[in-house]
Amino acid sequence: MLNNVKVVLVGTSHSGNIGSAARAMKVMGLSNLVLVDPQCSVDEQTLALAAGAADIAQNAQVVSTLTEAVADCALVVGSSARSRTLEWPMLEPRECGQKFVEEGRSAPVALVFGRERTGLTNEELQTCHYHVCIPANPEYSSLNLAMAVQTLSYEVRMAYLERQQSQYESQEAAEYPRHKELELFFSHLEKVAKETQFISDEQPGKVMNKLRRLFSRARPEAQELNILRGILTAIEKRIS
C-alpha cells in the first residue's frame, strides 16, 4: 500500500529541500517522489541532505504540471493553511493518513506540497479532493517543506501500522475515479451547462468552482461518475 503513496512537490526552488523531503519519506517507508516543474535540479546538496535516501531523490519522477503528476490518482490531498479564502473540504492530518491507507490499497494516492514561499496556487488547490492543515502553534506556525512532508508521512505510516495490526478484515475498498476521469467529467458538465444556458460562456468559473467543491466533498465512486456522465450524454442527445 505504501508504494501507492505519491509525495508530490510543486515548484521546489531549493535543491536541499528535495533531499530533506526524500529523507523524511524514507524514514516512514514511502519511496514514490514526484517533482512538478522544479526550479532546481537534484545536485550534491540534495544528496547530502538526503543522507541514506539519495535513491529516492535520484529516482524522482519529474513532470511539468500537477495535473500530469496526479492523473492516475484516485485521491489527491493538498497541504494548505486554513486561512485561505478558497473554501474546500478539509482533513485533519490523522484523517488524511486513514484515508490514504484505505484508498491506497487499490489505487495511487497523492500528497501535494507547494512552493517554499508561496505554497500552492488556488488553481492547484482545486486539483485536490481535500486540503489538509497541520495544526501547528498559531503563534508560530511556520513549518519548512521537509517538516510538513515528515508530519504527514508519519500519519500515513501510523494509519498503515494500525491497519496491519488490526485483527479484523477490512471491507473491500470502494473504487474511485482517477483524477483524469474526474477532469473529463467536469469538462463534460461544463459543456452541457453551457449548452443548456445554465451558465454563460463569458463567466463559467464561479459556478464550476462551486460544482467542483460539491463533487470533491461528495467523492462519487467510479460507477456513480459513469451514471452522471450517462445523464449528461442523455441531455446532450435531447437538446441536439
Side-chain angles (χ1 to χ4, degrees):
M1 171 264 141
L2 294 178
N3 290 333
N4 267 346
V5 178
K6 293 185 182 184
V7 172
V8 181
L9 308 184
V10 179
T12 310
S13 58
H14 300 293
S15 62
N17 285 337
I18 296 174
S20 296
R23 183 176 183 177
M25 289 170 60
K26 191 161 188 174
V27 166
M28 295 302 153
L30 306 182
S31 59
N32 197 346
L33 178 62
V34 184
L35 306 176
V36 176
D37 189 28
Q39 303 302 297
C40 59
S41 58
V42 173
D43 57 18
E44 290 183 1
Q45 187 178 20
T46 307
L47 303 183
L49 291 178
D55 57 321
I56 293 178
Q58 290 174 317
N59 293 327
Q61 180 186 7
V62 181
V63 298
S64 336
T65 66
L66 179 55
T67 299
E68 185 181 353
V70 300
D72 62 341
C73 294
L75 176 65
V76 182
V77 178
S79 179
S80 171
R82 286 190 185 275
S83 59
R84 294 263 182 182
T85 55
L86 179 69
E87 295 182 10
W88 213 255
M90 294 289 302
L91 294 175
E92 296 296 330
R94 194 131 302 171
E95 291 179 283
C96 179
Q98 292 163 352
K99 276 192 172 293
F100 267 57
V101 169
E102 181 65 31
E103 299 187 27
R105 290 184 295 149
S106 56
V109 291
L111 269 173
V112 182
F113 299 87
R115 300 155 190 83
E116 290 94 336
R117 292 181 61 85
T118 58
L120 296 166
T121 66
N122 279 351
E123 183 179 355
E124 289 163 347
L125 284 168
Q126 286 177 316
T127 301
C128 306
H129 296 102
Y130 296 95
H131 299 165
V132 61
C133 176
I134 298 170
N137 177 5
E139 295 179 6
Y140 187 70
S141 59
S142 176
L143 282 83
N144 65 32
L145 180 59
M147 287 178 180
V149 171
Q150 184 77 83
T151 300
L152 295 180
S153 297
Y154 170 82
E155 293 296 348
V156 172
R157 182 162 189 81
M158 290 302 98
Y160 170 73
L161 292 176
E162 184 178 356
R163 181 173 291 278
Q164 291 288 93
Q165 294 163 3
S166 173
Q167 59 179 315
Y168 302 107
E169 284 191 19
S170 56
Q171 295 180 344
E172 186 176 346
E175 182 183 354
Y176 289 102
R178 304 299 191 261
H179 182 267
K180 60 184 177 183
E181 294 164 347
L182 204 54
E183 287 301 312
L184 288 172
F185 164 71
F186 285 130
S187 297
H188 196 177
L189 179 61
E190 182 174 351
K191 179 174 178 286
V192 173
K194 287 178 179 178
E195 288 175 352
T196 57
Q197 299 182 350
F198 181 76
I199 58 177
S200 66
D201 288 332
E202 290 75 24
Q203 292 182 318
K206 189 172 183 181
V207 172
M208 286 306 303
N209 285 346
K210 288 185 177 295
L211 288 172
R212 278 179 173 269
R213 187 174 65 190
L214 185 156
F215 285 105
S216 291
R217 188 168 61 244
R219 294 297 313 284
E221 296 177 8
Q223 188 175 22
E224 294 168 335
L225 196 72
N226 288 337
I227 292 171
L228 292 171
R229 291 292 302 271
I231 292 171
L232 293 174
T233 300
I235 293 171
E236 287 180 306
K237 289 178 180 178
R238 189 72 176 179
I239 63 178
S240 62

